[in-house]
C-alpha cells in the first residue's frame, strides 16, 4: 500500500431496538430493508467499512433514511454505535478504537482530532454568544488559554470564511443560514482537525449561498490539507466536491468508487436510479 | 521499446437495470502505445471510441480484459484493477484527459483552473501563478479571458484551456476525447497545431476523433472503430 488512511472505519453497526429471534438470525445481506418487520428494530448502519486518506474528500450519498447521518453521529460520538471500530492515524498512532475510549478521551478527540459541521447550525453553534465567542469556546476546550492569541485566531478563521469584521462580535442568531454555516465551519476548523465531518451542510441554503459554502469547502481542502467526509443527498454537491464516493441504501454501503465513475458508470440499480434522477 | 500502455482484450458492457438490458460498447480491444507515440482512433458516434479512453481513465469500469500501464510511481500496473487511490494519484501526476467539454468548479477563472492544476503537483502558489501564465500564453488563450469564468468561452477557447490545464501536470500519457467535435474548421486547425506541438514535446497520446481527414499525417498509427470492434 503506498499510503496509509487517515481514518479507517471497520464493521460499524448501529441499531435502534434489541432485535428479535427473527432479525437476529439474519445476516446483513439477508435483511433487505433496514428494519425488522417482526419487532420493528431499525438497523440504521449495517457493517460499514471504508477509509479516508489525507487531503481527500469522501462523498457519502443516499436517500433520506439510508443511514448517512447516523454514521456521522456515531463517528462524532453523538450516538453510540452498536458495534464496530474507527481509527484515526493521528490519535495513539491509529491503534486505538475510538469507540472504546473513555468519555473523557472522546471529549479530547472531539476537541483536538475531529471537527463536525451539522446540517442545522443550532447543533454546532451557540446562537446567543458572538461568532468570535463561539470560536473562542472551541479554542478553550482545545487548551488555548491566552486571550489575545485566541482573538487573533478567531478573527483569522472568520476572515477565512468571509465573515465581515464588523459582524464578528454579533451572535449567530442574527446571521443568515449561509453565514451561520460559515461560522460553524470556522469553529470546526479552529483546532486544526485532521478530519472534518460535514453533514448535509448545504441543505436548505439557496443556490448562491450554497455555491459559496462549496467554494469554501474546496478552499479548506486545498489550504489546510484536511480530510473531509461530506454527506449529502445532493449528487450535484458530491460531483463538485468529492474525489471518491460511497453510496448508501438501507443502512448499507452498496457501491463505492471514484466520483466520476459512480456518476457515469454506476453499477448498482439504486445508484443508476439516483444518477438518472440527477441527469 | 516497452509499451507505455498495453490494452489486452478489453471489453465493456453496460447493464441498465431499469430496462433489464446489457449494452455492449467495446469488444476485445487490444492496442499497444509506445512512449512518445500518438495513436488515433476514428469511428462513428456510438462505435465505442470514448469507452476505451474512459476505461483507461477509470471513469468506466472495465468488464473484461487488462489495461497495463507503465507507471513512474507504481511500475507495471493494471488500470482495470488498480485501487481508487492509485487512480487518483495517476490522474494527478501521470495521466491527463482532455475532452471538448470543460468540467470545472463554477466561479473559477481560467487562470485559477490552471494554477489549481499546478498546485496539485505540490508547487507553491508563486510557482503555480508563473506556470499558469506560461501555459495560457503557450496555448494561445487570449489574456483578456484569463480572469473570466470559462463557462461562456467558445468551444475552441475551452479546449485550449482544457489542454493547458492537462499539460500543467506534464502527463506521461494524454488521452484526447474528441477534442475537435463541434469545432469549426479554423478552430480545428488550431487544435491540430496544439497536438503537433504536444507531439514535438514527446507527449504520448491516445486520441479519438470523429473525422478521418483531421488525423491525416498527424498520428503515428490510426485505427477505426466499428460496432465496438477495432479495425
Amino acid at each position: 500500500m503506498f499510503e496509509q488512511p487517515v481514518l479507517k472505519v471497520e464493521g460499524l453497526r448501529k441499531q435502534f431496538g434489541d432485535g428479535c429471534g427473527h432479525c437476529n438470525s439474519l445476516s446483513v445481506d439477508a435483511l433487505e430493508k433496514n428494519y425488522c418487520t417482526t419487532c420493528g428494530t431499525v438497523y440504521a448502519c449495517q457493517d460499514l467499512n471504508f477509509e479516508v486518506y489525507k487531503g481527500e474528500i469522501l462523498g457519502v450519498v443516499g436517500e433520506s433514511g439510508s443511514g448517512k447521518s447516523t454514521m456521522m453521529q456515531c463517528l462524532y460520538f453523538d450516538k453510540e454505535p452498536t458495534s464496530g471500530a474507527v481509527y484515526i492515524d493521528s490519535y495513539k498512532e491509529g491503534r486505538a478504537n475510538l469507540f472504546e475510549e473513555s468519555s473523557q478521551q472522546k471529549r479530547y478527540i472531539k476537541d483536538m482530532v475531529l471537527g463536525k459541521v451539522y446540517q442545522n447550525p443550532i447543533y454546532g453553534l451557540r446562537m446567543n454568544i458572538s461568532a468570535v465567542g463561539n470560536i473562542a469556546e472551541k479554542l478553550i476546550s482545545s487548551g488555548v488559554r491566552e486571550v489575545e492569541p485566541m482573538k487573533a485566531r478567531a478573527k483569522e478563521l472568520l476572515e477565512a470564511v468571509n465573515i465581515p469584521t464588523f459582524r464578528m462580535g454579533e451572535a449567530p442568531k442574527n446571521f443568515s443560514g449561509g453565514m451561520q454555516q460559515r461560522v460553524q465551519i470556522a469553529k470546526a476548523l479552529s483546532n486544526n482537525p485532521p478530519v472534518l465531518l460535514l453533514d448535509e451542510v448545504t441543505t436548505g441554503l439557496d443556490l448562491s449561498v450554497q455555491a459559496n459554502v462549496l467554494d469554501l469547502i474546496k478552499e479548506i481542502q486545498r489550504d489546510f490539507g484536511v480530510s473531509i467526509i461530506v454527506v449529502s443527498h445532493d449528487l450535484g454537491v458530491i460531483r463538485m466536491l468529492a474525489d471518491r464516493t460511497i453510496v448508501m441504501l438501507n443502512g448499507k454501503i452498496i457501491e463505492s468508487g471514484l466520483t466520476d465513475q459512480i456518476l457515469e458508470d454506476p453499477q448498482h440499480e439504486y445508484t443508476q436510479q439516483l444518477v438518472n434522477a440527477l441527469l | 521499446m516497452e509499451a507505455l500502455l498495453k490494452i489486452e482484450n478489453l471489453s465493456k458492457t453496460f447493464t441498465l437495470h431499469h430496462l433489464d438490458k446489457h449494452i455492449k460498447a467495446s469488444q476485445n480491444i487490444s492496442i499497444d502505445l509506445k512512449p512518445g507515440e500518438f495513436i488515433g482512433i476514428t469511428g462513428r458516434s456510438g462505435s465505442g471510441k470514448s469507452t476505451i479512453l474512459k476505461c483507461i481513465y477509470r471513469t468506466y469500469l472495465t468488464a473484461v480484459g487488462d489495461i497495463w500501464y507503465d507507471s513512474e510511481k507504481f511500475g507495471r500496473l493494471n488500470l482495470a484493477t488498480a485501487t481508487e487511490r492509485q487512480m487518483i494519484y495517476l490522474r494527478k501526476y501521470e495521466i491527463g484527459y482532455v475532452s471538448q467539454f470543460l468540467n470545472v468548479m463554477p466561479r473559477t477563472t481560467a487562470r485559477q483552473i490552471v494554477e489549481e492544476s499546478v498546485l496539485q503537483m505540490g508547487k507553491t502558489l508563486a510557482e503555480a501563478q508563473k506556470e499558469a501564465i506560461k501555459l495560457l500564453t503557450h496555448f494561445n488563450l487570449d489574456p483578456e479571458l484569463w480572469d473570466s469564468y470559462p463557462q461562456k468561452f467558445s468551444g475552441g477557447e475551452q479546449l485550449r484551456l482544457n489542454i493547458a490545464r492537462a499539460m500543467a501536470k506534464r502527463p506521461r500519457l494524454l488521452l484526447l476525447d474528441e477534442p475537435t467535435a463541434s469545432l469549426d474548421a479554423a478552430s480545428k486547425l488550431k487544435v491540430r497545431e496544439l497536438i503537433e506541438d504536444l507531439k514535438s514535446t514527446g507527449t504520448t497520446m491516445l486520441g479519438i476523433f470523429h473525422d478521418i481527414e483531421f488525423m491525416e499525417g498527424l498520428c503515428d498509427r490510426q485505427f477505426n472503430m466499428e460496432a465496438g470492434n477495432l479495425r
Side-chain angles (χ1 to χ4, degrees), chain A residues 2-3 53-54 56 210-212 214-215 218 222 239-241 243-244 255-258 260-262 264-269 272 276, chain B residues 12-18 54 57-62 73-74 83-89 91 103-108 116 119:
Chain A
F2 78 102
E3 57 184 346
Y53 292 83
K54 183 163 174 54
E56 90 167 336
Q210 193 179 77
N212 287 335
L214 294 181
D215 288 348
K218 273 303 236 191
R222 191 188 60 212
R239 172 155 56 188
M240 283 296 150
L241 295 178
D243 304 298
R244 293 187 300 128
E255 185 165 357
S256 65
L258 296 165
D260 59 330
Q261 180 261 302
I262 292 288
E264 291 199 35
D265 188 19
Q267 305 294 303
H268 193 280
E269 183 175 4
Q272 289 188 0
N276 287 341
Chain B
K12 173 65 184 168
T13 304
F14 293 96
T15 302
L16 304 179
H17 292 286
H18 69 295
K54 290 189 174 183
Y57 204 60
R58 262 283 277 286
T59 301
Y60 290 167
L61 295 176
T62 300
K73 170 83 176 172
F74 306 109
T83 66
E84 289 154 18
R85 291 296 301 173
Q86 284 175 322
M87 287 309 301
I88 288 172
Y89 179 91
R91 287 175 174 197
N103 190 10
V104 291
M105 279 286 280
R107 304 166 304 285
T108 311
E116 180 65 34
L119 284 171

Side-chain angles (χ1 to χ4, degrees), chain B residues 13 37 54 58 65 136 176 192-193 201:
Chain B
T13 304
E37 194 178 23
K54 290 189 174 183
R58 262 283 277 286
L136 290 168
L176 299 165
R192 199 184 160 92
E193 286 169 14
T201 63

Side-chain angles (χ1 to χ4, degrees), chain A residues 222, chain B residues 102-120 128 131-133 135-136 141 145-153 157-158 160-169:
Chain A
R222 191 188 60 212
Chain B
L102 188 65
N103 190 10
V104 291
M105 279 286 280
R107 304 166 304 285
T108 311
T109 66
R111 190 196 294 265
Q112 287 169 331
I113 288 166
V114 182
E115 283 174 5
E116 180 65 34
S117 226
V118 184
L119 284 171
Q120 282 182 2
E131 185 69 11
I133 291 171
L135 284 159
L136 290 168
L141 191 75
L145 298 174
W146 291 2
D147 294 309
S148 313
Y149 300 146
Q151 279 76 9
K152 299 287 180 201
F153 288 8
E157 288 159 352
Q158 287 200 3
R160 283 198 283 278
L161 175 58
N162 227 344
I163 292 181
R165 178 173 67 151
M167 289 312 290
K169 297 170 186 286

